[in-house]
Amino acid sequence: MEGSKSRVKRKRLAVFVSGGGSNFRSINQACIEGSVNGDVVVLVTNKHACGGAQYASDKGIPVILFPKTKDEPGGLSSDDLVKVLREFEVDFVLLAGYLKLIPVELVRAYPRSIFNIHPSLLPAFGGKGYYGMKVHKAVIASGARYSGPTIHFVDEQYDTGRILAQKVVPVLANDTAKELAARVLKEEHKLYAEVTAALCEDRIVWREDGVPLIRSKENPEEYY
Ligand code: GRF
């Protein structure tokens, strides 16, 4: 379906990060290589010196600070953030290790267009307090035999948005949290790039009961 791909306008992406930004890098790489029909047009961060922000600057991607805090007095207000994203003509917002809460102004301005990646199989090991290594430690301590990343829509509540995609990885008997995190992260990179590709080709469809599905690229009759 080469024709259908070229008919869809190239999407404009904003990525939000607080740390190293390895997911951001892999999404940006997929855009550059052409597997994603879109471009990261702006990076938003709450830490101007984080690895993700530095990478963006090196690549010539504009960096915006949000929110305004004592440590980051140059940060934008929620209303100004929405205004700036509009100026950049952003279609989708991708949260990739952004640790601050998303303001309701942004959620309302971008309905069904904001996504997050979480390093466990939601709804397990999600919500307040479950971030970074804490997630993987809790998974190992629970005795769960499987984990993996979840990509979900971001809505006005915390971590409750509809699940869009997941990937399963095994939890091994002698895993450390670090080892499990590395195994999950590897899959995060692939999954976020795949989901971003689907987004940019308008392949998200909504089942009658409100569950979002991804239409397969190879077989338009198939969903996952
Ligand atoms: C990832 O594990 C992601 O699931 C979580 O934060 C981490 C970000 O890693 N939300 P990176 O900054 O993309 O390397």
Side-chain angles (χ1 to χ4, degrees):
M1 296 279 284
E2 276 310 304
S4 74
K5 186 177 172 187
S6 54
R7 274 202 299 276
V8 180
K9 154 192 166 287
R10 231 174 140 75
K11 298 291 194 288
R12 298 173 63 81
L13 312 170
V15 181
F16 283 43
V17 304
S18 296
S22 67
N23 277 288
F24 158 49
R25 291 165 207 229
S26 90
I27 291 166
N28 190 54
Q29 199 51 39
C31 293
I32 291 167
E33 284 166 6
S35 54
V36 166
N37 184 38
D39 299 291
V40 179
V41 295
V42 60
L43 182 93
V44 178
T45 184
N46 60 314
K47 289 186 184 160
H48 77 272
C50 72
Q54 276 168 7
Y55 175 84
S57 304
D58 289 349
K59 296 281 174 194
I61 297 169
V63 176
I64 284 173
L65 266 176
F66 176 81
K68 184 188 178 113
T69 60
K70 237 196 252 155
D71 290 341
E72 297 288 8
L76 295 181
S77 70
S78 300
D79 286 335
D80 283 342
L81 173 68
V82 171
K83 226 185 272 172
V84 170
L85 295 182
R86 294 262 194 243
E87 279 164 17
F88 275 102
E89 296 180 22
V90 164
D91 296 299
F92 297 116
V93 172
L94 308 176
L95 310 182
Y98 182 72
L99 295 176
K100 293 275 177 189
L101 209 59
I102 293 303
V104 68
E105 290 86 346
L106 183 59
V107 176
R108 291 198 180 144
Y110 283 89
R112 289 186 167 186
S113 306
I114 309 178
F115 302 83
N116 182 41
I117 189 157
H118 183 80
S120 76
L121 295 171
L122 290 175
F125 309 106
K128 214 172 151 66
Y130 283 112
Y131 59 88
M133 282 300 152
K134 291 184 185 192
V135 177
H136 304 293
K137 280 183 187 157
V139 169
I140 291 170
S142 76
R145 301 303 203 265
Y146 296 96
S147 189
T150 298
I151 293 175
H152 63 94
F153 281 84
V154 173
D155 61 14
E156 289 185 24
Q157 279 98 45
Y158 201 52
D159 255 356
T160 57
R162 292 286 193 176
I163 291 170
L164 177 61
Q166 292 185 314
K167 199 77 177 261
V168 173
V169 307
V171 181
L172 304 181
N174 52 0
D175 261 348
T176 63
K178 232 175 135 184
E179 285 165 340
L180 177 57
R183 194 175 307 122
V184 172
L185 189 64
K186 209 169 151 200
E187 294 304 323
E188 288 187 34
H189 295 159
K190 286 191 234 162
L191 190 65
Y192 223 168
E194 278 168 27
V195 167
T196 307
L199 276 178
C200 292
E201 292 168 17
D202 295 335
R203 284 193 283 115
I204 310 294
V205 293
W206 292 82
R207 209 168 65 188
E208 259 173 43
D209 61 358
V211 168
L213 301 171
I214 296 174
R215 190 160 35 77
S216 155
K217 190 174 179 162
E218 289 73 33
N219 180 1
E221 306 293 313
E222 226 172 73
Y223 299 89
Y224 54 89

